[in-house]
Amino acid sequence: MSSGKGGELIPSSSELDLDRPNIEDYLPSGSSIHEPLGKLRLCDLLDISPTLTEAAGAIVDDSFTRCFKSNPPEPWNWNVYLFPLWCCGVVIRYLILFPVRLAIELLESNIELFTACNVYAPDLVGSLYFLFQRALVELICSFFVASWTGVINYHGPRPSMRPKQVFVANHTSMIDFIILEQMSSFAVIMQKHPGWVGLLQSTILESVGCIWFNRTEAKDRETVTKKLREHSQGVDNNPLLIFPEGTCVNNQYSVMFKKGAFELGCTICPIAIKYNKIFVDAFWNSRKQSFTMHLLQLMTSWAVVCDVWYLEPQNLRPDETPIEFAERIRDIISVRAGLKKVPWDGYLKYSRPSPKHRERK
């Protein structure tokens, strides 16, 4: 670990490569295999062509796939002494804790319904209505966290409402927003979802200034950029919250940050989120699991344990480009949360590499 400009910690290249497997470990040694003289072995074939060596290394060191792979806790109910305790835990979690948490979730749903219909605020106007909506959204998120028995440790000063200020955080699940929103109201930039999540987005969350987009629509990007600039200049607007990775990563790695948030000319406030997997893996793999099933997984666990760090605000340096600024912020978040940086674009999770990348390779 070394110290860069401004005193921030920057992981050395040797530390970033600790997770990289050595392809030679996957090749058979000469003493372990007895083959006829003159027979071509894999290690000889790889020595012939650097391209083959690189291809084999990519198969062994698939750091992109590992960014989106769930890592559940190791099973501990493997013997006759521990198995009865595990069975007792299943009974407690599913027959006692889950019904209580479900009741909390149903209560939260009623609050959402009243908020959507504005039942309690027909005569509130101006700043009173704004404060009322903020308080209700924070209350709803608090009920969500309670339904998982969330144990959240917040470190650093609480966010405040200031113009030209943007908060950015690493992204593991949609519950990242819920955990941050219960502490302070943010206007989040988020993918538009279908179903009941989409209903919440178009009713409850729009009241605090959240902005939605569809990553498959090119026109949405221009619209969102315009809305970001307008929102960031507002004095009374909720602070912007952006997840610049653009997709959920498994809380062990950090993929490339999109530069959009770093081109607004605003102060960037990094937030590092780290989940403890002692009870449950909070990573949401949206390609394999719906958000409803993800919530059920959290609600049937013992607890969701998480640490949140509000880090020192950063500004663009005179000799720095937005891309370099984004990379510096990623360094700060990765070091604080203990994440391994990888040079991948998270959007490759949803699409094939572009032809120009393949041509350049």
Side-chain angles (χ1 to χ4, degrees):
M1 196 78 68
S2 61
S3 178
K5 295 181 180 179
E8 61 263 21
L9 295 176
I10 301 177
S12 63
S13 59
S14 60
E15 288 176 324
L16 297 179
D17 291 337
L18 288 177
D19 194 57
R20 185 183 299 278
N22 186 1
I23 187 173
E24 295 179 357
D25 296 337
Y26 291 79
L27 300 177
S29 61
S31 58
S32 61
I33 296 181
H34 302 282
E35 296 180 347
L37 185 63
K39 186 174 182 179
L40 186 64
R41 294 182 298 176
L42 177 59
C43 57
D44 299 325
L45 182 62
L46 295 181
D47 288 339
I48 295 175
S49 172
T51 303
L52 287 177
T53 304
E54 185 178 0
I59 295 173
V60 173
D61 180 28
D62 188 7
S63 58
F64 178 76
T65 302
R66 281 183 286 164
C67 294
F68 311 104
K69 182 179 179 182
S70 179
N71 297 286
E74 291 291 333
W76 56 271
N77 57 336
W78 47 269
N79 64 24
V80 69
Y81 306 107
L82 298 176
F83 185 73
L85 294 176
W86 178 82
C87 291
C88 292
V90 170
V91 171
I92 294 173
R93 287 188 291 115
Y94 282 85
L95 300 183
I96 299 178
L97 292 180
F98 178 67
V100 173
R101 293 167 174 174
L102 186 59
I104 294 174
E105 194 66 30
L106 292 175
L107 178 60
E108 175 263 332
S109 299
N110 289 329
I111 297 176
E112 289 177 4
L113 180 62
F114 288 135
T115 305
C117 297
N118 294 321
V119 172
Y120 293 129
D123 300 323
L124 295 178
V125 293
S127 60
L128 286 178
Y129 181 74
F130 177 71
L131 293 174
F132 174 78
Q133 291 285 2
R134 286 190 62 186
L136 276 180
V137 171
E138 290 178 12
L139 179 62
I140 289 171
C141 291
S142 298
F143 272 100
F144 260 117
V145 175
S147 69
W148 328 313
T149 313
V151 182
I152 316 299
N153 299 311
Y154 296 94
H155 310 271
R158 179 171 175 166
S160 58
M161 291 178 57
R162 296 178 183 175
K164 302 194 70 174
Q165 183 174 255
V166 176
F167 290 80
V168 299
N170 57 299
H171 198 23
T172 304
S173 168
M174 203 188 301
I175 70 170
D176 298 338
F177 164 70
I178 299 173
I179 288 173
L180 297 176
E181 192 77 6
Q182 77 155 352
M183 174 62 79
S184 179
S185 284
F186 290 101
V188 70
I189 316 303
M190 188 184 295
Q191 163 78 19
K192 182 67 175 176
H193 291 272
W196 65 271
V197 177
L199 179 62
L200 290 182
Q201 290 178 319
S202 59
T203 54
I204 311 297
L205 297 180
E206 278 197 359
S207 64
V208 292
C210 296
I211 301 172
W212 318 119
F213 68 92
N214 189 341
R215 60 170 53 93
T216 60
E217 295 291 338
K219 294 182 180 180
D220 279 10
R221 300 179 185 179
E222 299 177 3
T223 304
V224 167
T225 301
K226 182 179 178 181
K227 288 182 178 180
L228 288 178
R229 294 187 181 278
E230 294 174 352
H231 188 102
S232 61
Q233 303 300 324
V235 178
D236 296 327
N237 292 336
N238 286 319
L240 278 172
L241 172 64
I242 300 177
F243 299 105
E245 289 173 303
T247 187
C248 295
V249 188
N250 65 4
N251 208 228
Q252 291 182 319
Y253 296 87
S254 172
V255 299
M256 289 171 54
F257 279 12
K258 301 294 182 182
K259 66 177 182 177
F262 307 92
E263 294 178 321
L264 300 175
C266 299
T267 298
I268 301 296
C269 303
I271 302 176
I273 305 174
K274 185 65 176 180
Y275 292 93
N276 189 325
K277 300 181 182 180
I278 184 173
F279 297 122
V280 65
D281 185 3
F283 168 58
W284 177 39
N285 190 340
S286 58
R287 304 193 72 178
K288 295 184 178 180
Q289 187 182 46
S290 67
F291 187 63
T292 302
M293 294 305 299
H294 180 58
L295 285 182
L296 288 176
Q297 180 185 356
L298 300 180
M299 292 171 66
T300 53
S301 67
W302 286 110
V304 175
V305 183
C306 176
D307 284 279
V308 176
W309 289 273
Y310 298 105
L311 304 175
E312 184 178 353
Q314 305 289 327
N315 290 289
L316 183 70
R317 294 169 179 168
D319 58 342
E320 198 172 38
T321 66
I323 295 178
E324 293 171 339
F325 187 25
E327 194 64 17
R328 179 161 62 88
I329 298 298
R330 184 162 78 113
D331 288 339
I332 294 173
I333 293 176
S334 298
V335 171
R336 177 66 273 185
L339 307 176
K340 302 179 182 70
K341 289 177 55 184
V342 293
W344 296 113
D345 184 345
Y347 275 14
L348 292 177
K349 174 183 176 182
Y350 301 99
S351 60
R352 298 177 62 87
S354 64
K356 67 177 183 179
H357 290 146
R358 294 198 299 267
E359 289 289 339
R360 184 175 63 184
K361 196 63 179 177

